Amino acid sequence: MTFAGLLRLFGLSSIIGGLAIALVQVWFYFDQDSFIATYFDQVGYSFIAFGIIGLYLSQYKSFGGFGLFSFIILSLGTSLWLGFKWFQTFVVADILKSAPELMDTGLHTAVFGMNLSLYSLLIGILLFAAISFWKGVLSRWGSAFLIIAVLAELVPYGSLVSQIIAGVAFILLGTSLWRGSNEDVTRTKYNANAGWD
């Protein structure tokens, strides 16, 4: 598989993940306790975790050292968030059935873990999206929507809207990656055709 073909695969993953998390938020609006919706939310974020690798690889020549740092923070935050989503998907349902009082009294370490993963993810997204927007290699609309999604998360009751906006952002960025219409991918294709890579 060529580098451009691999980037298209990452782009498709970003599109699927963005679509999943955006649609799941609508589902949560109507049924907040749905296990199936929680499961698809976990799957959506798993696809996004794969997709962000391609989002970075398509821009790494333009990103520089700070861009690499933003990608590392984003990857760490995404990994922690996936761990929290796993806990929500496969553990919380059992706790609610067998010991609901635990959820009422508060799982303090779980709350700390959620905050750690959430704020790591938000900082990573904000840095990564800001650099992506500035460099303009991929869709600037997608990067702008990611920045708006982070800001919406910080507003009271903005979590649902924030994740829908983030889903749309990952769809736009994934589509840009899928089409290969960015400077670094075009340069890679040109060099490969010329026999330079």
Side-chain angles (χ1 to χ4, degrees):
M1 178 178 283
T2 64
F3 181 65
L6 186 62
L7 289 182
R8 284 170 61 90
L9 191 61
F10 285 127
L12 182 61
S13 180
S14 182
I15 293 167
I16 293 169
L19 192 60
I21 66 167
L23 292 176
V24 160
Q25 299 316 306
V26 177
W27 192 337
F28 278 141
Y29 180 77
F30 294 105
D31 185 5
Q32 196 172 16
D33 299 322
S34 170
F35 171 77
I36 298 171
T38 306
Y39 178 77
F40 277 111
D41 197 36
Q42 166 85 27
V43 170
Y45 277 103
S46 299
F47 273 103
I48 285 173
F50 188 64
I52 62 173
I53 298 169
L55 296 178
Y56 172 71
L57 287 176
S58 67
Q59 305 177 86
Y60 79 95
K61 292 178 183 176
S62 303
F63 257 38
F66 190 69
L68 175 61
F69 172 75
S70 75
F71 172 68
I72 290 170
I73 298 296
L74 177 58
S75 298
L76 176 65
T78 305
S79 299
L80 290 172
W81 189 245
L82 276 173
F84 172 70
K85 287 292 180 182
W86 184 92
F87 173 78
Q88 261 191 330
T89 305
F90 298 109
V91 179
V92 169
D94 287 337
I95 291 175
L96 286 172
K97 286 178 187 172
S98 58
E101 68 279 0
L102 279 177
M103 299 303 289
D104 295 333
T105 57
L107 297 169
H108 300 294
T109 53
V111 171
F112 174 76
M114 180 196 75
N115 288 331
L116 177 65
S117 59
L118 176 63
Y119 290 111
S120 299
L121 179 66
L122 292 178
I123 291 167
I125 287 175
L126 189 60
L127 292 174
F128 189 84
I131 295 170
S132 293
F133 183 84
W134 178 41
K135 296 297 182 179
V137 176
L138 292 174
S139 166
R140 278 202 162 108
W141 279 105
S143 300
F145 272 115
L146 272 183
I147 294 168
I148 292 168
V150 170
L151 298 177
E153 185 69 41
L154 301 175
V155 174
Y157 307 106
S159 182
L160 185 135
V161 174
S162 170
Q163 293 186 68
I164 292 173
I165 295 169
V168 171
F170 281 111
I171 291 168
L172 292 172
L173 290 167
T175 302
S176 180
L177 196 54
W178 172 263
R179 290 182 179 161
S181 55
N182 65 69
E183 182 186 332
D184 287 357
V185 174
T186 304
R187 187 188 305 119
T188 301
K189 286 179 183 176
Y190 178 78
N191 291 347
N193 289 338
W196 296 343
D197 282 351

